[in-house]
Every structure is written in structure tokens, then in C-alpha cells.
Amino acid sequence: MPAGRADAMIVPTREDTDIATSPPTPGHPARKPFALAPLPVFLAAFALCLVIRLSTLGHLGLWFDETITADVIAGSWRDLVADRLANGHFPTYFALLKMLGLAGADEFWLRLPSAILDSLAGGLIALVALRLSGGIGAVAAAVLYALYPALIQYGQEARPYALMLAFIALAITGQIGLLTRRAPPRRQAILATIGTIGAALAMPAGIVSVAMQHFGLLACGFRRFEPAEKRLWIRHIAVTWAAILAAALCLLPAILDQAAKPVGLMKWQSRIPSAFRIREAFGETYGLAVPRDLHRFLPEEWTAPLALALLALMAIGLIANRQRAPHRMLAVSAFLTPLVFLALGAFSASAGRYLIGMLPAAILLAAAGVAALLADRGMRLAVGATLALLAAGLLLQALDMLVSPRKFDWRPVAALLHEKGVRDTTILADAPPIEKALRHYAPASDHLAFETLDPDTDPIAMLWAKAADRPIAFLVLGAYQTIPAAIARDATVCAFPLGDVQLVMVARDAALIPLAMQGCTRVE
């Protein structure tokens, strides 16, 4: 049959062109629990996600990776592309921010695209849930996505994660449309292809998420698909991976260069016990953990039960819909993606932020679980009360995410240096993030230079030796670093604790001590 007639071979069913009916129960035939129009569902979910993410968007200072974003987009286009490719990143997200004119923007505006992109993903996921699980599933998906702690975190960061999530949600929309034979199928294939290519080019971790989506076809009985369906899927997969391979060639030199370095490709993580790395990665995703959690709203002991309840909803959603191809495909992404990253973690990074591409699929499964539980009218009251408690717990954890610091705030460090009169000098630092963050926040008029150790290769003694050779030295060090007793001999040494770091002054010429630091408490 000519390829141009492929679309005519796939006839959408009545269920697949409208919202899915709720599962039948004894004495109650299949029915639509309540009908919701797609556009209002998308807009409501988008608005809910966006309001939550905007609420504290500019409150936190930029952390190390975000200062990289700010610095990269402030440079030339040529430098932007060269820097990102040299560091093993696609320039897609950074180019978007530069095109939006955000070079030099403050925290709120720099993060605003992420908030919007993540909210768009929430709207698309609610729309897919409407088609798979009806109105109840759509409401559940919207609430879960809006309140999910990890999604709030990365919807408030000036990093590529939200862009990847938006494209993954678009890919899921098209792929589920193909699996449910939603008309027109060619449009669904185009949406899926734009989504998969976009997710992969947003950041390299997106390639794993795309691979798991395509691997999930094996769980959908791909070999039994109609010929026209197979052709659409094969074209979608072929175009996706041709684009990924072409783009990956641009990263290959940087990857090989990083692999040759002692700590390249995040190999420094090998010093961290595997059990800790696994616990941290899963804690940030399925564990619902909040970095530096203040536990102002949800007590710490309730986080684990909340996470287990979410996993139970995912399992119920899969079991109740185990005969449906879309849910089997979603299950592959939700449950097998962590295993792939565990394998990759043997020689590269395994941070939780690289796993968030599985969360849209996980939320769709959990939303299907909510719809399945509420389908039984006899149990609806008890189940509804239990689910309301779960939603309340998730809301409290979301509030903790919104008010907790998450990362170290470098603004007070830069402010202290300025207030203490540290000017026209070189700061000695024991880690590269210190230099990057302070360069961003310290006023340019203070004319600060930096000499930074590589903590993976250089001993801290090198830094103390530099301080001992100067009439006056200023050091910004980790709070855990101890000041050697010998350094205070014949010198005025003062330390200013600043949370994770400390500012240390070593002055052998008292006349050089800034006025604001004279009379400081000395370290003997």
C-alpha cells in the first residue's frame, strides 16, 4: 500500500477520540465519571503548576550550576556553543535563554522560562490523563504534577531540566495518541517525534528517557501492530535516532576528553558509597525528598509513607490497566529508567536530577491508580478520604520545597566580603564553585581575583602555603576545613563562619587589615 494512505489504515475507536471511560464495576457498566473538555483541563493544570512555581521563584540565590547558565548566556553566541559542547552539554536551552534576552537578568527572570516550560508539561500530562483515565485521572495528574517536590524544584531552576520535561510530555502525548489510534495518526507521530528529539537535545540525560519510551514498545505488542501503524512508529523512531546520533557526534570529542581526565564524566562520585548515591538519587525522585528540608510543614517521619503511597498508586494504575498498551509503555519508563541510570552510574553520574524524565510517566500511572480506586462506588468514600490525606501530605511537602533553601546561598558571602572592605585582592578558594558563585554576586567594582584549588587533585596545604607567603590573604573555604595552628604564628588570623563556608583572613602586616575587620575575634 502506498505510504500516503497509511493514515487511513488506523481507525480511531470511540473511546480513543474522547476521554476514556472509567472501569466497569459490578452492577455498574462502563461510564464516564464526569466529562471535562480538553482545553480547560490543559489550562487549569498549567495555571495550577505555574502559580505554585512562581510563588517563590526569585527567592533563592543562584546555585553553582545556575551561575554557569548566567555566565554562558552573557557571552557571545560563538562562546556559548563552544562552552556547552566542550562541557558535554547541548546548547539548546542556553540558546533559548539568550534569544529571550535574559543575559544579565535576575533570579526571577532567569528562572521564568523553566517555570513556564514545566507548567506546560503539567498541562500536557493532565490532558493525556484525561484521555487515558477520564476526568478523575486528569484532576489527579494535575494535582500530582503541580505538587510533586522534584518537579517544583526543577521548575524553579535556570537549568535545562524543565525544557526536557516539556518535550517528554509532548512525546508522551503523541505516543499515547498513536497507541490509542487517535486521529489523525500522522499528527500524533509528528508530535511524538518533535517531543523525543527535543527531549534528547535539551540535555544528554533526555536520551535515556527517549530510549526507554521506545523500548517500552516491546511491552505493547509492537510485532502485532497493523502494517500502517508499524510504518508510522518506525519512521518516528528512525527520525528520532538519526537526529540524536547526529547531535551526539558534536558531543563526542568532549566526552572522550572528559573520559580521559581523572575526575571526568563525574567519576569523582566513585568515592561516594554506592548505597548513598542510590539513596540520594531515589530520594530526590520517588522518595519525595526536599534538599535541606526545613520540615516546617510535613514532619520528616511522614515522607517515607507518602512516597510508598505514591508508588502503590503507580502499581495499582499498572495492574488495573495491565491489558492496555499505553500503561505498559508508561510502566517501562517509570520502573526501568532507574535501573538504566544505576548501570550508567557505575562510570558516570547518577544524581537524582537525571532521573526526572521518568516522572511524567510515573504521574500518569499514579493518576490511573486514583481513577481505578474511585471507580468502585461502594469504596469511594473510604478511598476518597485516604486519597485526600495523601494529597494533603503532598501539599505539605510541596510547601516545604517552596520554603527550604535547597542549595547554599552565596549572596551573604559576597555581601560580607563587600561589607568588610575586601577590595582589589585575590581570594584563595578550595573549590571551583566558590569562584564561580562569588564572581557572579560580588560587585565588579570590588576587583576581586581568585586562585582556586582543584579539590580532586590539589591538597589543601597548597592553599595554606600561599596564604603564609602573603602580607595579607583572604580565603573562602569549606566550613569543615580546620585552620592549621602554624598559620597563626606571627599573624592575625580571623574566621567568619557563613554556614557551609567560612571566610578566613590571615594578615602578617596589620596595616593592611581592612578597617571593618580590625578588632575581629582572632583564631589562636
Side-chain angles (χ1 to χ4, degrees), residues 31-392:
R31 67 202 185 286
K32 295 176 183 178
F34 58 92
L36 295 176
L39 184 58
V41 165
F42 172 82
L43 292 177
F46 170 79
L48 178 62
C49 292
L50 187 60
V51 166
I52 291 172
R53 283 144 184 77
L54 291 180
S55 63
T56 58
L57 191 61
H59 289 192
L60 301 178
L62 301 180
W63 72 289
F64 173 60
D65 284 11
E66 289 182 296
T67 62
I68 294 176
T69 298
D71 289 350
V72 165
I73 67 172
S76 67
W77 279 102
R78 181 177 180 178
D79 290 343
L80 183 153
V81 174
D83 178 271
R84 292 297 82 201
L85 292 179
N87 284 278
H89 292 273
F90 294 118
T92 317
Y93 167 78
F94 307 92
L96 172 64
L97 265 59
K98 189 170 182 63
M99 285 190 294
L100 292 173
L102 293 175
D106 63 15
E107 291 86 354
F108 179 90
W109 290 102
L110 201 61
R111 292 167 176 156
L112 183 59
S114 291
I116 294 173
L117 289 165
D118 189 42
S119 300
L120 287 172
L124 288 173
I125 293 303
L127 194 59
V128 174
L130 177 67
R131 295 167 180 170
L132 288 179
S133 307
I136 291 176
V139 172
V143 171
L144 286 170
Y145 199 102
L147 299 179
Y148 207 98
L151 296 174
I152 293 175
Q153 178 178 355
Y154 295 110
Q156 290 188 320
E157 277 198 7
R159 297 295 292 170
Y161 308 109
L163 179 62
M164 179 187 70
L165 288 167
F167 277 120
I168 284 176
L170 184 63
I172 290 174
T173 303
Q175 290 166 347
I176 298 301
L178 283 174
L179 288 175
T180 56
R181 300 180 178 180
R182 189 172 184 82
R186 191 182 298 275
R187 181 186 301 168
Q188 308 304 317
I190 291 173
L191 290 177
T193 306
I194 293 173
T196 50
I197 293 175
L201 297 189
M203 56 185 296
I207 297 175
V208 175
S209 298
V210 171
M212 298 312 298
Q213 288 178 338
H214 290 162
F215 183 68
L217 279 176
L218 298 178
C220 300
F222 178 73
R223 288 184 294 180
R224 297 191 298 273
F225 284 11
E226 294 292 331
E229 289 181 279
K230 283 185 178 179
R231 283 195 292 272
L232 278 177
W233 277 106
I234 289 171
R235 284 201 293 266
H236 157 64
I237 294 171
V239 171
T240 295
W241 286 99
I244 290 174
L245 290 175
L249 290 176
C250 298
L251 294 184
L252 186 59
I255 293 173
L256 295 176
D257 180 60
Q258 292 292 328
K261 295 179 179 179
V263 294
L265 295 180
M266 304 283 279
K267 288 195 289 287
W268 56 268
Q269 285 195 346
S270 61
R271 300 196 303 267
I272 304 174
S274 297
F276 178 85
R277 293 165 58 194
I278 294 171
R279 185 169 61 253
E280 183 181 47
F282 280 87
E284 292 182 18
T285 50
Y286 289 155
L288 304 179
V290 173
R292 299 173 183 256
D293 197 342
L294 296 177
H295 300 294
R296 186 174 296 173
F297 296 96
L298 186 73
E300 183 176 6
E301 58 269 19
W302 284 101
T303 305
L306 195 63
L308 291 174
L310 178 68
L311 290 171
L313 283 178
M314 292 166 54
I316 292 169
L318 174 60
I319 293 169
N321 298 276
R322 59 188 178 277
Q323 299 303 322
R324 301 187 66 188
H327 296 80
R328 294 200 296 271
M329 185 178 190
L330 293 170
V332 171
S333 292
F335 294 118
L336 296 188
T337 297
L339 300 181
V340 174
F341 274 104
L342 285 180
L344 292 175
F347 57 89
S348 184
S350 61
R353 59 184 179 271
Y354 299 126
L355 278 68
I356 62 170
M358 68 187 179
L359 294 183
I363 286 173
L364 285 170
L365 283 179
V370 171
L373 289 172
L374 291 176
D376 188 343
R377 288 185 177 180
M379 296 292 294
R380 187 170 292 176
L381 184 60
V383 170
T386 304
L387 291 174
L389 288 175
L390 172 61

Side-chain angles (χ1 to χ4, degrees), residues 387-409:
L387 291 174
L389 288 175
L390 172 61
L394 194 60
L395 172 61
L396 295 177
Q397 189 71 340
L399 291 172
D400 273 332
M401 176 63 80
L402 291 171
V403 303
S404 295
R406 305 181 208 171
K407 305 287 186 180
F408 181 68
D409 190 348

